[in-house]
Amino acid sequence: MTSILVLTEEALTAHDVERIATLHGTDQVSVHLLVAPEDRRDLVDALDDVALGRLPGRGRPDGVRGEQAVEQSRDALAARGLAVTAQLSGGDPVAEAAGAATDEIWVVTPPHLVEEALHRDWASKLRERTGRPVLHFVSGTDRVVS
């Protein structure tokens, strides 16, 4: 069984759930979902908002966060037949993800153009901290950032 840690900041989309459920074909997959609490806002986050045409500090208008994102995502993954545990991060989501004993680490987020360009995104930080490969998907799409 392949175990995947999925780090996200919003509820997974139907597309994200389908990708997680099918990427390993017929192999059994278990997922540990870690949802980061509300955005930590800093200058880089504000620049990302501006670069993507969002009002600074507002995030995505359709974003579901926190416990609701944990519940929605957990239920959607379980409905696809995956073994899933899910939780809201209690602190630094990168540190929690780095400490997870899983086969793979996936980051699924909306675009963060400035963070990605400066390698301050979660996937880059996780690669540095763990020395392991990390897949970074743009939520709701097939776009792999790195």
Side-chain angles (χ1 to χ4, degrees):
M1 178 178 287
T2 301
S3 62
I4 302 171
L5 177 117
V6 177
L7 175 59
T8 189
E9 61 192 49
E10 296 182 337
L12 297 173
T13 68
H15 186 86
D16 300 330
V17 170
E18 187 64 21
R19 182 187 316 109
I20 293 166
T22 61
L23 191 64
H24 285 282
T26 59
D27 293 347
Q28 290 187 331
V29 174
S30 69
V31 176
H32 178 70
L33 179 71
L34 182 62
V35 178
E38 296 294 322
D39 285 298
R40 72 265 169 236
R41 303 305 305 174
D42 63 14
L43 178 59
V44 175
D45 292 315
L47 291 172
D48 270 330
D49 288 342
V50 171
L52 294 166
R54 299 185 300 231
L55 294 173
R58 291 276 184 114
R60 288 177 31 172
D62 60 343
V64 175
R65 297 182 191 261
E67 286 296 334
Q68 188 178 5
V70 171
E71 292 169 12
Q72 285 181 8
S73 300
R74 180 195 60 228
D75 293 348
L77 290 164
R80 287 290 285 129
L82 300 173
V84 60
T85 60
Q87 70 185 61
L88 190 63
S89 170
D92 177 7
V94 171
E96 289 181 46
T102 59
D103 298 315
E104 299 178 14
I105 301 173
W106 293 17
V107 174
V108 181
T109 64
H112 291 288
L113 303 177
V114 177
E115 282 187 354
E116 292 160 12
L118 297 175
H119 300 286
R120 289 191 51 196
D121 60 297
W122 288 340
S124 295
K125 289 178 180 180
L126 281 164
R127 277 187 213 96
E128 287 176 20
R129 186 173 280 197
T130 66
R132 296 173 53 194
V134 177
L135 284 171
H136 186 182
F137 294 98
V138 173
S139 60
T141 73
D142 288 324
R143 182 175 163 232
V144 176
V145 177
S146 56

